[in-house]
Amino acid sequence: MAAMFARRFNDHKNSKRKKEKIMSTIRPFTVEVKAEDVTDLKTRLAATRWPDAETPDDWSQGAPLAYIQEVVGYWLNDYDHQRLATRLNAFDNFLTEIQGLDIHFLHIKSSNPNAKPLIMTHGWPGSVVEFLQVVGPLTEPQDHGGNADDAFHLVLPSLPGYGFSGKPTTTGWGIEKIADAWAELMARLGYEKYFAQGGDWGSVVTSAIARQDAEHCLGIHLNMVVVPPDATAEDLTDLEKSALAGWQFYQEWDSGYSKQQATRPQTLGYGLVDSPSGQAAWIIEKFYTWTDCDGHPENAISRDEMLDDIMVYWLNAAGASSARLYWQSFGGSSDATPITVPMGATIFPKEIFRTSERFAAQVYKNIVHWSVKEKGGHFAAFEQPNVFVDEVRTCFRTLR
C-alpha cells in the first residue's frame, strides 16, 4: 500500500515538473518599435521614388498614385509610430518555440469561469491586429452587452514568417505543419479541448486543425469557405451564381499577387522589404479590393488600422517570408478528407471566395451554423467587428 501511494505521489510530482517545464518554454514578449526603426522608416518614406500615375481614373491598374501618396504622407508625418506597440502590449504577448521555430501569440484569458479556449488565425495580408477590436467582447462579453456564458480565452498566433513569429529557414512550413503547431500550442497552454476560428489562410489552417486534431478540437468557425460551387449543378441559386462570378473574377483580375507569391516570393521580397511605400501599396490594394468599402478602403477600415497592419509587415521585414506560405502551400496535393468536427460559417458578400451550404457540405459533414450577411468583406473582424463577435458566439454556443 505504501509503495502504491509513493508511486502515485511520484507520478503527480513528475507530472507537475513536466507541466512546469513546458510552461517555462513560453516566454513573455513585448512589442518594441525602436527609435532607429522609426527614423529609418521616415527616411525611406521621404525618399520614395514614385511611378507615374495610372492611366484610368480608377483602381483597375492597381492602387492609385494620388491615394498612396496621401497615405504615405500621413504615415510619415501624422501617424503615431508607437501606436502598434501600444495596442499590442495592452495584452499579454508571448513567444514559444515549436518544431524549431519561435511562434508569437497573444493569450488573453477571460475572467469568466465558464470561458472556453478559442484559437483564431489570420491570413495574408492580415495579422493579429485584425482581431484587436473583438478581444474585449469575446473575452468579457458581459462588459459589452453580452452574456458571460459566451466568454472565450483567446489565443491569437502570428503565422510562421508573419508578424513577430520566426521566419522558417527551411521548406516544410505548410498548412498541415502549422495546424500541428497550433494544436501543440493549445496543449502547451493546458487546453485539452478548444475551438478554432479563421479566415483567409486562417480558414485553411483551421480546417486542417479539424482534420488533424479532431480529438481535441470541439468545433470550428470560418469566415471564408474554400469550396467553390459546381457550375454544372442544376438550380443554382442567386448566391451560387454570384459566388461563381466571384471565383471567375478572382482568376482573371485579382490573383496576380497570389501567382507571384506562390512562384517567386523571394524576388518579390526585395522590393517589399526595401520600400515601405511599396509594402503599403501591396497591402492597401487588397484592403480596397476585398472589403465592402463602397469605393474607398477607409469606408471599411480606418487609415490608422490599415497602417497598424502594414507596420507589422514593415517592422519585421516580412514581405518575402509571409509570401513563402503561398509557395509552400500551392501546387501540391491537398487533403480532401471530409471534416466531421462541427463547423459553422459566416458568408460575407464581398468575400473573395464564397459558396453555399449545400456545396460546403461536400467537405464539412457536420455544419451546425450557416449565416449569409448583407454587408461585409474579407477582413471580417476588421470590417464588421460586432457582426463577427455575434457570429462566433452563436456558432459555438451550442457546442459548449
Side-chain angles (χ1 to χ4, degrees):
M1 182 68 71
M4 181 182 70
F5 280 117
R7 187 167 58 251
R8 287 182 178 177
F9 175 77
N10 287 331
D11 288 344
H12 173 75
K13 186 167 61 174
N14 291 336
S15 176
K16 183 179 179 181
R17 286 175 178 171
K18 183 178 180 181
K19 183 177 182 180
E20 289 174 348
K21 182 178 180 181
I22 289 175
M23 292 305 293
S24 71
T25 66
I26 298 175
R27 299 115 60 196
F29 176 74
T30 300
V31 175
E32 184 179 4
V33 180
K34 298 177 181 178
E36 55 264 37
D37 291 336
V38 174
T39 298
D40 177 70
L41 169 62
K42 288 185 172 183
T43 299
R44 291 170 184 268
L45 289 173
T48 300
R49 185 185 183 194
W50 296 104
D52 53 308
E54 64 284 354
T55 51
D57 187 22
D58 56 30
W59 289 66
S60 60
Q61 289 184 351
L65 175 64
Y67 179 61
I68 296 302
Q69 287 180 324
E70 180 183 334
V71 173
V72 165
Y74 179 84
W75 195 4
L76 172 62
N77 298 308
D78 301 302
Y79 174 76
D80 176 4
H81 294 90
Q82 294 300 322
R83 174 184 153 95
L84 173 66
T86 300
R87 295 185 75 198
L88 289 178
N89 290 331
F91 306 104
D92 291 330
N93 288 252
F94 300 92
L95 291 175
T96 190
E97 185 178 315
I98 299 178
Q99 300 184 44
L101 191 72
D102 267 348
I103 298 298
H104 163 256
F105 64 98
L106 280 67
H107 186 200
I108 307 102
K109 300 201 72 172
S110 172
S111 65
N112 295 295
N114 295 324
K116 298 298 182 183
L118 170 62
I119 184 169
M120 300 201 302
T121 310
H122 67 84
W124 184 92
S127 66
V128 293
V129 170
E130 288 182 64
F131 300 124
L132 295 184
Q133 293 184 76
V134 302
V135 167
L138 288 176
T139 56
E140 306 294 342
Q142 72 282 357
D143 296 337
H144 299 267
N147 190 319
D149 290 336
D150 287 327
F152 298 95
H153 301 306
L154 292 182
V155 180
L156 311 177
S158 296
L159 289 167
Y162 287 68
F164 299 93
S165 283
K167 299 174 181 178
T169 57
T170 60
T171 59
W173 275 96
I175 295 303
E176 290 78 13
K177 187 170 182 175
I178 295 171
D180 284 342
W182 278 197
E184 184 172 342
L185 173 60
M186 296 304 277
R188 188 171 295 184
L189 291 171
Y191 295 133
E192 184 178 353
K193 302 288 185 180
Y194 62 91
F195 295 117
Q197 197 284 329
D200 195 85
W201 280 117
S203 171
V204 188
V205 170
T206 299
S207 296
I209 290 172
R211 284 193 177 96
Q212 297 166 208
D213 196 33
E215 180 182 355
H216 303 103
C217 182
L218 295 171
I220 64 174
H221 174 269
L222 310 177
N223 54 275
M224 187 179 82
V225 183
V226 191
V227 181
D230 182 358
T232 65
E234 297 181 355
D235 302 322
L236 289 173
T237 66
D238 289 341
L239 169 63
E240 291 164 347
K241 292 175 183 177
S242 173
L244 283 169
W247 282 76
Q248 187 67 27
F249 175 83
Y250 177 83
Q251 295 299 328
E252 293 179 355
W253 293 102
D254 197 29
S255 59
Y257 79 96
S258 177
K259 192 68 173 178
Q260 180 66 29
Q261 296 190 153
T263 57
R264 299 293 186 271
Q266 187 66 22
T267 304
L268 175 66
Y270 296 110
L272 296 183
V273 172
D274 185 61
S275 170
S277 300
Q279 179 70 86
W282 191 243
I283 290 177
I284 286 173
E285 180 203 298
K286 298 313 173 191
F287 282 141
Y288 165 80
T289 306
W290 295 346
T291 61
D292 195 355
C293 68
D294 297 323
H296 197 293
E298 292 175 37
N299 290 334
I301 303 172
S302 74
R303 182 176 295 186
D304 280 331
E305 286 182 315
M306 286 194 291
L307 285 172
D308 287 346
D309 183 68
I310 292 165
M311 281 284 284
V312 173
Y313 284 81
W314 176 254
L315 289 172
N316 296 289
S321 59
S322 60
R324 290 192 193 107
L325 181 55
Y326 288 76
W327 183 92
Q328 183 67 57
S329 302
F330 280 17
S333 59
S334 57
D335 190 346
T337 306
I339 293 172
T340 58
V341 166
M343 174 269 204
T346 306
I347 308 300
F348 291 95
K350 296 297 182 178
E351 180 56 86
I352 311 170
F353 304 125
R354 289 172 294 130
T355 193
S356 64
E357 184 173 0
R358 67 162 169 164
F359 290 112
Q362 296 173 0
V363 175
Y364 301 93
K365 299 301 183 180
N366 188 8
I367 297 177
V368 297
H369 175 75
W370 191 271
S371 180
V372 179
K373 298 301 177 183
E374 295 183 358
K375 187 169 180 60
H378 184 67
F379 304 93
F382 241 174
E383 298 178 60
Q384 298 287 335
N386 293 334
V387 174
F388 178 86
V389 167
D390 184 63
E391 286 294 297
V392 171
R393 289 175 180 169
T394 301
C395 175
F396 294 131
R397 188 171 291 141
T398 60
L399 301 177
R400 288 173 170 267

